[in-house]
């Protein structure tokens, strides 16, 4: 069955960096786009970034553009999110979400999330 | 960016009674390919979101048939025919027509009266 397992969250100081990982299993990772979506404590869902199935294209929310970098290693079935210059507003649970491939509408599968807390 | 507006934001419901949630987009969600990319998600307390509906009205596998959805253009509705205790949670609409960004509604909290 499809599984997405995030890791790498934790407590980081403002201005610091963190790298999140998401290991995928149960499907052919290298044919799917992948997203990161976040949820601040007690708040709604916010799309963060997408990467194409082959890593050829990436798009970001304005709120993270220039600070976050999405990447993937298809040989390891792993999605990453490098987060730099973190602020308190980045405190959230970060979800890895399976995106689109032909014949498969996106956002069907979500990981359990990993919590990032930005605090001094 | 497309703004998604849900109403109500809080929905107390009696068990066994129907419920409906409205979602409106700031522009038409009809894509140039003819599809309308409007999804509905359920997030139970302490859980990750779960997709219930894709492309306006297509129910995902395993979603009870008491959930239905409809709409077109800018106006969409999610309906629960008879609310059960397991339906408690927050429901989000999300558009995937005009991206980036993909945008979510604010969420509607469904609770039992």
């Amino acid at each position: 069955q499809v599984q997405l397992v995030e890791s790498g969250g934790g407590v980081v100081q403002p201005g610091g960096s963190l790298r999140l990982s998401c290991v995928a299993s149960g499907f052919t990772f290298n044919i799917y786009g992948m997203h990161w979506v976040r949820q601040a404590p007690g708040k709604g869902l916010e799309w963060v970034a997408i990467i194409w199935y082959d890593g050829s294209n990436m798009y970001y929310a304005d709120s993270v553009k220039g600070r976050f970098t999405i990447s993937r290693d298809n040989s390891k079935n792993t999605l990453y999110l490098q987060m730099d210059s973190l602020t308190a507003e980045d405190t959230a649970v970060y979800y890895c979400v399976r995106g689109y491939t032909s014949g498969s509408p996106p956002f069907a599968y979500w990981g359990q999330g990993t919590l990032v807390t930005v605090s001094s | 960016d497309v703004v998604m507006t849900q109403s109500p934001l809080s929905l107390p419901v009696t068990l066994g009674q129907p419920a409906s949630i409205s979602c409106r987009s700031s522009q038409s969600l009809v894509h140039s390919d003819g599809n309308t990319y409007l999804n509905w998600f359920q997030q139970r307390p302490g859980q990750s979101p779960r997709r219930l509906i894709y492309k306006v009205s297509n129910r995902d596998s395993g979603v009870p048939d008491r959930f239905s959805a409809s709409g077109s253009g800018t106006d969409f509705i999610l309906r629960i025919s008879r609310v059960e205790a397991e339906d408690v949670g927050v429901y989000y609409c999300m558009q995937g027509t005009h991206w980036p960004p993909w945008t979510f509604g604010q969420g509607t909290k469904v609770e039992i009266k």
Side-chain angles (χ1 to χ4, degrees), chain A residues 45-119:
Chain A
L45 301 169
E46 180 188 18
W47 174 80
V48 173
I50 183 179
I51 186 166
W52 253 229
Y53 69 100
D54 59 355
S56 60
N57 279 295
M58 294 84 76
Y59 294 94
Y60 299 91
D62 286 346
S63 57
V64 307
K65 202 173 295 183
R67 301 186 300 118
F68 288 12
T69 303
I70 188 171
S71 62
R72 65 191 297 160
D73 185 337
N74 285 346
S75 68
K76 295 181 179 179
N77 286 357
T78 302
L79 175 72
Y80 301 101
L81 186 67
Q82 176 68 41
M83 304 185 296
D84 299 321
S85 304
L86 286 161
T87 73
E89 286 67 45
D90 297 315
T91 294
V93 173
Y94 286 75
Y95 295 102
C96 166
V97 188
R98 195 176 81 172
Y100 171 80
T101 196
S102 179
S104 180
F107 293 92
Y109 294 96
W110 297 59
Q112 86 286 352
T114 187
L115 175 62
V116 172
T117 302
V118 184
S119 173

Side-chain angles (χ1 to χ4, degrees), chain B residues 24-93:
Chain B
R24 288 186 171 172
S25 57
S26 60
Q27 59 185 278
S28 173
L29 297 186
V30 180
H31 193 274
S32 57
D33 67 6
N35 290 305
T36 300
Y37 296 101
L38 186 285
N39 296 332
W40 288 96
F41 298 88
Q42 174 195 60
Q43 189 175 30
R44 290 171 171 153
Q47 294 188 12
S48 300
R50 167 198 183 194
R51 195 182 72 186
L52 298 176
I53 303 286
Y54 62 95
K55 286 196 286 186
V56 180
S57 59
N58 295 275
R59 206 165 39 238
D60 271 283
S61 175
V63 174
D65 60 9
R66 64 179 180 274
F67 289 92
S68 64
S70 62
S72 63
T74 61
D75 292 298
F76 305 92
I77 294 178
L78 175 70
R79 294 184 177 88
I80 311 173
S81 60
R82 294 173 305 279
V83 171
E84 298 189 4
E86 66 177 17
D87 301 334
V88 165
V90 181
Y91 292 77
Y92 298 92
C93 60

